[in-house]
């Protein structure tokens, strides 16, 4: 494992915010831990807070190379099963984005995984493609006819000043160098282009209430932004932040009933029956504890 300095301000002065819940010397987890649907709740290494700028991050951590290798190797058939909820979430995520920048134009989704957002953006008229390190996920997306680049923004071969929109949904908290990732987006966007970053907010009321039991404290998350540190880093990378606002997820009620069934089969069956009777199966249910936020930033 390696010790890293603060990715936002470069200082090396931290205090422990959440002590490790893993036994000392726990070997690198196999790629299971890096699946999108990985449970892994409550398992994390030491999480520290920079005394200079307030950025919260995992330290020490696996090396950047080990982290990227884990994502390259990841396969996650469960993610495909949960496609419905993600389609719904991304359809909703596209609306506020399109109030700022409307199609047509070139849109790149970073960490596109199996391409759910790329597909929806393309349906909305965007010239959309995805950048994704997982070979398996890229293959899944290509089978659906989507335009994918296997790798990362830095080695994508995309031209400078060429893109209208770059999106990063639940990605920035996983990458070894989030500031570098924002700089790459800045390089590739046209002046006036839009970067959209969705991540957890460790300063939200819900996160504060849950403390060490906040479910997003997980081994695969290495950066924990607040709205303040997210804004600060985006500005440092050359963006003007328009706004940062809470944005939750959506589940179909029918899918929600099947999840409840995992805890209580009887209740799950009752709810399934009820939703079917009332024809509510397809109805979207927002899940928003205010601890997931989306930042909209313009390249200046
Ligand atoms: Zn710092």
């Amino acid at each position: 494992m390696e010790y890293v300095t603060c990715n936002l301000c470069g200082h090396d002065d931290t205090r422990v915010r959440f002590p490790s819940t893993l036994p000392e010397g726990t070997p690198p987890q196999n790629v299971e831990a890096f699946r999108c649907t990985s449970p892994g709740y409550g398992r994390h290494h030491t999480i520290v807070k920079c005394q200079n700028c307030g950025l919260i991050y995992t330290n020490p951590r696996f090396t950047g190379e080990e982290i990227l290798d884990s994502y390259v190797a990841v396969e996650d058939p469960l993610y495909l099963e949960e496609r419905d909820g993600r389609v719904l979430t991304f359809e909703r995520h596209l609306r506020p984005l399109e109030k700022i920048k409307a199609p047509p134009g070139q849109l790149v989704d970073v960490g596109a995984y199996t391409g759910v957002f790329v597909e929806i953006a393309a349906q909305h008229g965007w010239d959309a493609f995805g950048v994704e390190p997982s070979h398996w996920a890229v293959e899944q997306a290509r089978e659906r006819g989507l335009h994918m680049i296997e790798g990362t923004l830095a080695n994508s071969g995309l031209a400078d000043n060429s893109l209208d929109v770059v999106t990063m949904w639940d990605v920035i908290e996983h990458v070894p160098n989030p500031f570098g990732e924002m700089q790459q987006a800045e390089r590739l966007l046209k002046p006036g282009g839009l970067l959209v970053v969705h991540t957890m907010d460790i300063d939200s009321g819900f996160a504060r209430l849950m403390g060490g039991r906040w479910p997003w404290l997980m081994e695969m998350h290495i950066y924990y932004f607040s709205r303040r540190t997210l804004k600060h880093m985006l500005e440092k990378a050359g963006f003007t932040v328009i706004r940062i606002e809470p944005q939750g997820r959506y589940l179909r009620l029918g899918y929600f009933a099947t999840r409840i069934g995992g805890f209580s089969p009887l209740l799950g069956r009752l709810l399934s029956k009820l939703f079917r009777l009332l024809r509510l199966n397809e109805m979207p249910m927002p899940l928003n504890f205010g601890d997931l936020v989306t930042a909209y930033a313009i390249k200046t």
Side-chain angles (χ1 to χ4, degrees):
M1 291 182 86
E2 63 174 356
Y3 282 89
V4 290
T5 57
C6 178
N7 193 249
L8 176 51
C9 75
H11 281 234
D12 189 15
D13 176 19
T14 59
R15 67 175 171 79
V16 172
R17 179 74 190 268
F18 299 104
S20 172
T21 61
L22 299 167
E24 183 109 12
T26 298
Q29 277 252 309
N30 54 26
V31 293
E32 303 278 313
F34 292 88
R35 287 180 175 175
C36 279
T37 55
S38 164
Y41 295 120
R43 287 176 55 94
H44 58 80
H45 297 285
T46 304
I47 297 169
V48 301
K49 180 174 185 173
C50 173
Q51 296 288 71
N52 182 52
C53 74
L55 183 67
I56 295 174
Y57 57 101
T58 299
N59 204 24
R61 66 178 198 203
F62 298 128
T63 66
E65 226 162 86
E66 284 171 318
I67 293 167
L68 183 61
D69 285 350
S70 301
Y71 288 110
V72 168
V74 80
E75 295 189 16
D76 190 0
L78 252 187
Y79 188 91
L80 295 177
E81 284 174 27
E82 290 188 9
R83 205 185 139 74
D84 267 11
R86 288 171 211 272
V87 167
L88 208 52
T89 299
F90 284 142
E91 276 170 354
R92 300 294 174 110
H93 280 8
L94 200 54
R95 288 179 198 175
L97 183 164
E98 288 188 334
K99 284 193 179 140
I100 302 167
K101 280 245 178 265
Q106 278 213 316
L107 180 151
V108 167
D109 187 33
V110 180
Y113 210 51
T114 57
V116 177
F117 185 72
V118 175
E119 190 166 356
I120 292 167
Q123 286 162 1
H124 278 244
W126 291 97
D127 176 11
F129 45 109
V131 175
E132 167 58 45
S134 159
H135 178 72
W136 174 84
V138 166
E139 291 296 303
Q140 300 293 320
R142 284 185 179 149
E143 272 173 34
R144 297 183 72 91
L146 303 175
H147 185 172
M148 298 289 288
I149 297 171
E150 188 174 330
T152 63
L153 268 192
N155 64 20
S156 62
L158 294 164
D160 292 3
N161 303 305
S162 67
L163 306 175
D164 296 279
V165 179
V166 172
T167 53
M168 298 180 184
W169 306 111
D170 310 303
V171 165
I172 205 77
E173 64 272 24
H174 298 260
V175 298
N177 180 4
F179 179 61
E181 211 60 28
M182 289 178 189
Q183 284 181 307
Q184 289 295 329
E186 199 272 342
R187 175 176 68 83
L188 298 171
L189 279 166
K190 293 175 185 167
L194 173 68
L195 172 62
V196 180
V197 179
H198 180 80
T199 189
M200 315 94 64
D201 174 7
I202 195 157
D203 212 22
S204 60
F206 186 64
R208 285 165 176 268
L209 181 73
M210 298 297 282
R213 285 173 305 162
W214 191 41
W216 301 124
L217 301 178
M218 304 165 69
E219 188 178 10
M220 66 177 183
H221 293 152
I222 52 180
Y223 287 98
Y224 298 88
F225 288 91
S226 65
R227 295 189 202 199
R228 194 179 61 77
T229 54
L230 183 59
K231 180 170 188 275
H232 190 166
M233 190 180 279
L234 284 164
E235 286 171 349
K236 202 177 162 192
F239 292 92
T240 299
V241 178
I242 303 176
R243 62 173 184 273
I244 302 180
E245 59 194 11
Q247 191 170 37
R249 291 174 186 185
Y250 293 86
L251 301 174
R252 288 178 209 276
L253 278 180
Y255 179 73
F256 174 69
T258 66
R259 303 312 290 182
I260 293 291
F263 296 102
S264 162
L266 179 65
L267 184 61
R269 274 201 302 277
L270 274 172
L271 284 175
S272 286
K273 214 170 198 174
L274 182 69
F275 293 153
R276 263 203 312 278
L277 268 173
L278 299 173
R279 298 172 188 270
L280 289 175
N281 257 341
E282 295 300 307
M283 192 175 193
M285 185 186 73
L287 214 60
N288 189 347
F289 297 106
D291 59 345
L292 298 172
V293 293
T294 307
Y296 302 88
I298 297 285
K299 173 175 172 176
T300 42

